Amino acid sequence: MTEPSVNFRDRIATSDDRGHRKWVYARLPKGRYTTRRHWVAMALILLFTVTPFIKVAGEPFILIDVINRHFILFGRVFWPQDTYLLGIAMLTFVIFIVLFTVVFGRMWCGWACPQTIFLEILFRRIETWIEGSPAKQQASNQKPKTSGWYIRRTFKIVVFTSIILIAVNIFLSYFIGTSNLLSAWKTGFTDYHRTFVAMIVLTAAGTFVYTWFREQACTILCPYGRLQGTLTDNDTIMVMYDYLRGEPRGKTKEGESQGGDCINCNKCVQVCPTGIDIRNGTQLECINCTACIDACDEVMAHIGKAGGLIRYTSEKEISSGAKRRFTGRMAFYTSVLAGLLIFLSILIMKRTEVETTILRTPGILFQRNENGSFSNLYNYKIVNKTRKDIDLSFKLLQPEGELRIIGNQPMVKNGASVEGVFFILLDSSIVVSHEMKIQIGLFDDDHQVELLESTFIGPMNKNMP
Ligand code: SF4
Ligand code: SF4
């Protein structure tokens, strides 16, 4: 019987005792979770590919135009003035990730992370197709290199790089739009050198990650992975080995079971893409990819035992048999998340395409005009959050009087803002109190874009000179 590893906490599974890298030759898993993960991966790759081409009312569904500082989400345009909305949306997303991790551990890593999808579902399979099974790859890498080895390796890198280049182009279209990307390819490097530099750098980085760096992105680089220890607890659902059922593992020299269901076949380790042994307990390197579940279920079926020796469960469920429960921590994060979602929804619903502020000019109370009327001076600022230039006009709605704009009525370019001043003139018969509420309409032709409210200051006593 092989003793459980005792040094797994001293160093990561993919380095030897001298710190040199141990290459992971993970066997490809088969089973119900692998099939489901393939379907999910295909759906996500399809979604990633088609989303930049989806338009809503002529606008892209999603565009993150960092250079021109505007964002389009679900067809709605957001400008730098909406940064607070994006801030709250990002905070909501972070809380969602935290809550999701508290409850479901690294399910994101195993099922939806682009690194896992591309490496485990796509590239590892292409690699097997080109270079043979993981065992064959290991054998040929340890032998002197032949011309066939170099041809296969070069072909693999060319195929990987071509796929990464396509993925990078799709990724870039989220930032510059599909039409700009097409123009870049038609026009060439001179006019779109920044796009091509980004494309080259990202493609080179992708090739480096998927041909060489691989699982180390998850085990030593990814900050989300490093956070797991602080987010998960004994109630978190993760891929776990049922040590009560599995131990003592292995067989005696006589071929008798040691008592536990684990026959120590090591199949769960052989399929692990991060090279760990799940039987050592929860480890930061585990990306919850479920490969070991499928491998072990296959073994259990083979020896006539029930599957689920390795399964999605929580430490508490294994150790005490207690059912999963909704913990205080989960309740706290859920209420914070619900509060943020409601707050964000209200802000988005109240957000207008044109945002105007009017303020009485500081330091000036009112003027009494020669005809006996009173006037107040106002400053205005209009932000146009649409993608078209608009001609606007102010009209005084309440009370009856005159709005006299200084200069021309405002014309605001798309995504820009203008500032100006206007007078409100009220006949003395209208000025019935020292401070009156007024309503001003902002119009685009005959369409009222905004209703604005402010105050009009008159004298304390109209009869005073
Ligand atoms: S695959 Fe199952 S039986 Fe085989 S070593 Fe892993 S846990 Fe034990
Ligand atoms: S231990 Fe299992 S779930 Fe975790 S990374 Fe390895 S194979 Fe995937």
Side-chain angles (χ1 to χ4, degrees), residues 241 262-268 279 296 299-300 309-310:
Y241 166 67
C262 173
I263 59 167
N264 210 13
C265 63
N266 248 19
K267 295 258 166 61
C268 52
R279 295 171 299 166
C296 189
V299 174
M300 290 297 117
L309 179 55
I310 301 173

Side-chain angles (χ1 to χ4, degrees), residues 8 60 87 134 139 142 272 275 304 325 330 363 377 384 428 465:
F8 69 96
Q142 284 164 356
C272 180
R325 62 193 183 93
M330 293 173 193
L377 186 63
N384 176 3
S428 90

Side-chain angles (χ1 to χ4, degrees), residues 335-355:
S335 41
V336 172
L337 180 65
L340 278 169
L341 279 173
I342 293 168
F343 183 50
L344 185 64
S345 310
I346 292 171
L347 287 179
I348 290 175
M349 278 190 290
K350 291 190 90 169
R351 177 185 177 274
T352 52
E353 298 280 78
V354 175
E355 196 175 284

